[in-house]
């Protein structure tokens, strides 16, 4: 029971972690809370469902194309809504992001209808047996996929020239510009990477759960809590924060009260912010 | 038609009070709250429980709704108001979501079904029955709120709040107890939201937790920002525009049809085609929001620096 809940929590947590990476990277480089991150997750899920269901594309090519769609939505969002609002009080882009999120949900509703859509193909997998517990195979694959993507991101940020340029732009945009880094390109790149992570999370969730226009709202908020919990701007922090929230809410639902599941993430967040506002991995600012 | 207009004017007054209460926190004091609907909800539930389940007089329940929301606001403010702006935004966001979920799980408060059959208020022995009675009562409360906000901004307290908003460190150096004033503003803002909640419950006669969730908080926040942070006329206009816009979009097809058929008697407007506009309501709403912020980031009436 406990072990099963732990795996459930880790799988949910790795989804939150992937969305949280988008939040934390965008917050790091622009200092804004992109409230529409959950809608990129939704766009990824819809892209996969429609590509497989309507165009009968295989699962893996559809997955890859869904990531492209998610990245395109992210880039468009940055160009149209966030670029004109740079250097303003952060509350202004925050509200613009809310506007974008309302728009995208409505676009999804108009294009695909308000109904919930199941994943068009059944993926039958034998459950794993671990320490005498049956673990759904999908959760293991979610964990594996998330780990691969997060490792790739970690290597990209730390080992490549572009990754270092993103870090430089995030820590001091003006100096980065003086060093010959095109900060605008780095911001676009950040949106691309963040959107790919969120879009992938959306596809992984769409396999097991239904896809619908407002599906991104709650995971988006929890992922944001995860980003703050881990220390906003910190990539390992977002991962740790996501896993903690996923595990805590699953254990909380199993052992305390299932109705309060969605409140757990925010309760942890509030306690954390009061005790250590900079987050687990964050530096004092 | 008259009934509908009275209804809209009534509802608008509730949103004006709510928007002004949030403007006190965001616009006057510079503290961000993303969970303001929670205070609205606390007031609504407090007021409704007292008149529906406990048979207490409306005025008393109104007073308690005001106080309960205010006290919760102060309690939330005590540990959190020393946080940075954007963190405060997130704490209040989480608080708003938690309050909604907690109310959903309390059986006494009706859980997801909410409270229904909330009786109409009895003011000085007279029961409010018609929409006009409600309109007079609600607009009186709205007028008092507007008056209070004007007096407050021109008082010593209001100047202290503006100083904190513009430069907290300097305000502190000038001898202003910034924590005290921030908590005062947060508590007062929450209290007025609670009062708005009480008005809401008594007029609609029915409340449920979903009315006080994140989307309501976001709507009020948009009203403040669109109108212009720190501007009282701005908040009133922002509340009116954002409240009436969806209603207008909803009734627009009917209005167009009505006008078209009167201008050109005999013709029958293609209702199906016109009513397609209403389908794009949220899309128009979201896009208009983004566009307005790009064109005028300080809001319609705002003077407050947004840099």
């Amino acid at each position: 029971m406990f072990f099963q809940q732990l795996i459930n929590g880790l799988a949910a947590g790795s989804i939150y972690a992937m969305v949280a990476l988008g939040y934390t990277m965008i917050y790091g480089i622009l200092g804004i809370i992109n409230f529409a991150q959950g809608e990129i997750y939704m766009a990824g899920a819809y892209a996969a469902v429609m590509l497989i269901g309507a165009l009968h594309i295989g699962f893996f090519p559809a997955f890859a194309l869904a990531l492209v769609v998610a990245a395109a939505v992210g880039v468009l969002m940055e160009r149209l809504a966030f670029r004109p609002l740079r250097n303003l009080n952060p509350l202004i882009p925050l509200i613009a992001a809310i506007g974008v999120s309302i728009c995208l949900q409505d676009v999804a509703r108009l294009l695909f209808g308000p109904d919930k859509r199941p994943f068009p193909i059944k993926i039958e997998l034998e459950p794993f047996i671990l320490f005498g517990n049956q673990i759904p195979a999908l959760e293991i694959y979610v964990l594996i996929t998330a780990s691969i993507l997060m490792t790739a991101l970690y290597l990209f940020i730390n080992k490549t020239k572009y990754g270092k340029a993103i870090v430089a732009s995030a820590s001091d945009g003006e100096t980065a510009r003086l060093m010959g880094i095109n900060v605008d390109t780095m911001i676009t790149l950040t949106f691309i990477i963040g959107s790919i992570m969120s879009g992938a999370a959306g596809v992984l969730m769409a396999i097991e759960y239904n896809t619908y226009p407002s599906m991104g709202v709650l995971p988006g908020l929890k992922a944001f809590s995860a980003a703050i919990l881990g220390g906003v701007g910190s990539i390992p922090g977002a991962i740790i924060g996501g896993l903690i929230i996923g595990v805590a809410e699953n254990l909380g639902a199993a052992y305390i009260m299932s109705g309060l599941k969605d409140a757990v993430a925010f309760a942890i967040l509030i306690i954390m912010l009061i005790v250590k506002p900079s987050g687990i991995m964050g530096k004092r600012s | 038609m008259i009934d509908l207009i009275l209804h809209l004017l009534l509802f608008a007054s509730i949103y004006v009070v709510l928007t002004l209460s949030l403007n006190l926190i965001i616009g006057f004091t510079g503290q961000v709250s993303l969970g303001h609907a929670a205070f609205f909800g606390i007031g609504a539930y407090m007021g409704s429980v007292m008149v529906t389940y406990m048979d207490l007089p409306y005025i008393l329940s109104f007073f308690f709704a005001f106080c309960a929301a205010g006290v919760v606001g102060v309690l939330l403010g005590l540990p959190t108001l020393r946080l940075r702006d954007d963190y405060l935004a997130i704490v209040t966001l989480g608080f708003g979501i938690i309050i909604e979920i907690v109310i959903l799980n309390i059986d006494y408060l009706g859980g997801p079904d909410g409270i229904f059959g909330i009786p109409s208020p009895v003011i000085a022995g007279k029961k409010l029955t018609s929409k006009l009675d409600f309109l007079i009562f609600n607009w009186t409360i709205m007028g008092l709120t507007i008056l209070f906000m004007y007096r407050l901004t021109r008082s010593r307290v209001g100047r202290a709040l503006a100083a904190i908003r513009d430069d907290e460190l300097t305000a502190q150096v000038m001898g202003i107890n910034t924590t005290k004033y921030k908590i005062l503003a947060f508590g007062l803002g929450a209290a007025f939201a609670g009062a708005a909640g009480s008005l809401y419950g008594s007029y609609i006669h029915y409340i449920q937790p979903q009315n006080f969730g994140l989307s309501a908080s976001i709507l009020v926040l948009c009203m403040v920002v669109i109108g212009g942070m720190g501007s009282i006329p701005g908040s009133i206009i922002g509340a009116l525009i954002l409240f009436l816009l969806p209603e207008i979009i909803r009734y627009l097809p009917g209005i167009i049809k009505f006008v078209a058929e009167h201008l050109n008697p005999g013709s029958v407007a293609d209702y199906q085609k016109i009513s397609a506009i209403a389908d794009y309501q949220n899309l128009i709403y979201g896009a208009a929001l983004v566009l307005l912020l790009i064109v005028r980031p300080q809001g319609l009436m705002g003077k407050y620096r947004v840099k």
Side-chain angles (χ1 to χ4, degrees), chain B residues 12-212:
Chain B
S13 68
I14 296 173
Y15 275 107
V16 169
V17 174
L18 190 57
T19 309
L20 283 168
S21 74
L22 182 60
N23 189 29
L24 174 63
I25 298 173
I26 292 189
F28 296 168
T29 325
Q31 306 300 310
V32 185
S33 169
L34 291 186
H36 205 59
F39 301 119
F40 185 48
I42 289 169
Y45 269 91
M46 189 75 195
S48 304
V49 163
M50 290 184 74
V51 290
T52 316
Y53 295 164
M54 301 178 183
D55 275 334
L56 291 167
Y58 178 75
I59 293 294
L60 193 69
S61 81
F62 183 79
F63 176 72
F64 267 88
F66 184 87
C67 293
V71 168
V72 176
V74 169
L75 289 180
L76 179 70
L78 279 173
T80 54
L81 280 171
R82 58 197 171 86
L83 296 174
R84 250 174 43 198
D85 290 0
D86 32 2
Y87 286 2
L88 181 65
I90 306 308
V91 171
T92 49
L93 176 93
F95 169 75
I97 293 170
I98 288 176
I99 290 288
E100 188 193 350
I101 295 172
V102 167
I103 293 177
L104 267 171
N105 282 287
I106 297 180
D107 291 335
Y108 180 66
L109 299 178
D113 299 330
I115 298 177
F116 33 87
I118 301 165
S120 292
V122 180
I123 310 288
K126 187 185 182 315
K127 196 173 172 73
L128 302 184
T129 43
S130 71
K131 284 214 162 62
L132 196 64
D133 294 342
F134 270 106
L135 191 74
I136 295 167
F137 177 61
N138 281 13
W139 278 59
T140 311
I141 301 283
M142 177 177 82
L144 290 174
T145 311
I146 296 173
L147 193 67
F148 175 85
M149 294 295 168
Y150 265 111
R151 299 300 303 156
L152 183 76
T153 42
R154 279 151 189 75
S155 71
R156 195 186 153 80
V157 176
R159 286 195 296 274
L161 296 181
I164 292 169
R165 173 192 71 200
D166 292 336
D167 190 336
E168 193 170 336
L169 190 64
T170 311
Q172 206 155 18
V173 173
M174 299 308 282
I176 296 170
N177 185 344
T178 53
T179 313
K180 186 182 110 189
Y181 279 108
K182 281 201 287 191
I183 289 172
L184 178 73
F186 208 80
L188 270 176
F192 273 95
S198 171
L199 292 180
Y200 178 85
S202 66
Y203 172 57
I204 299 293
H205 305 302
Y206 171 54
I207 51 173
Q208 57 182 139
Q210 290 90 316
N211 301 135
F212 311 108

Side-chain angles (χ1 to χ4, degrees), chain A residues 25-178:
Chain A
M25 289 179 70
I26 291 169
Y27 189 92
I29 201 161
L30 280 180
I32 62 168
I33 299 169
N34 181 12
F35 236 106
Q37 200 70 28
E39 273 56 53
I40 296 177
Y41 164 96
M42 178 269 289
Y46 262 112
V49 168
M50 296 316 288
L51 284 168
I52 296 173
L55 300 176
H56 306 292
I57 296 176
F59 176 74
F60 289 103
F63 197 146
L65 278 174
L67 301 187
V68 176
V69 171
V73 172
V75 170
L76 220 63
M77 191 187 281
E78 194 266 327
R79 275 291 156 90
L80 298 178
F82 297 129
R83 193 163 290 190
L85 297 174
R86 291 235 186 108
N87 305 321
L88 294 174
N89 180 333
L91 197 57
I92 306 292
L94 174 74
I95 294 184
I98 292 169
V100 170
S101 142
I102 295 172
C103 264
L104 286 176
Q105 281 183 39
D106 216 40
V107 167
R109 186 183 62 83
L110 289 167
L111 287 178
F112 311 116
D115 305 327
K116 295 189 171 187
R117 280 169 187 269
F119 205 64
I121 46 170
K122 277 271 162 289
I123 299 181
E124 296 285 353
L125 297 163
E126 285 291 308
F128 281 87
I129 308 288
L130 270 179
F131 306 114
N133 289 288
Q134 278 208 350
I135 306 294
L138 198 61
E139 293 194 340
I140 303 292
Y141 284 111
V142 165
L143 273 173
I144 293 171
T145 317
S147 317
I148 293 171
L149 281 169
M150 289 191 267
T151 314
L153 175 74
Y154 190 78
L155 292 176
F156 177 81
I157 294 290
N158 288 300
K159 302 288 179 206
T160 68
K161 222 167 106 182
Y162 283 103
K164 285 176 184 156
I166 287 180
V167 175
S169 310
S171 67
D172 188 343
E174 208 44 52
T175 313
R177 212 182 291 275
L178 290 173

Side-chain angles (χ1 to χ4, degrees), chain B residues 214-242:
Chain B
L214 179 62
S215 51
S217 294
I218 287 175
L219 178 65
V220 189
L221 179 71
C222 291
M223 287 172 172
V224 173
V225 175
I226 297 291
M229 289 185 281
S231 157
I232 293 170
S235 285
I236 299 170
I237 291 173
L240 290 178
I241 292 179
L242 283 200

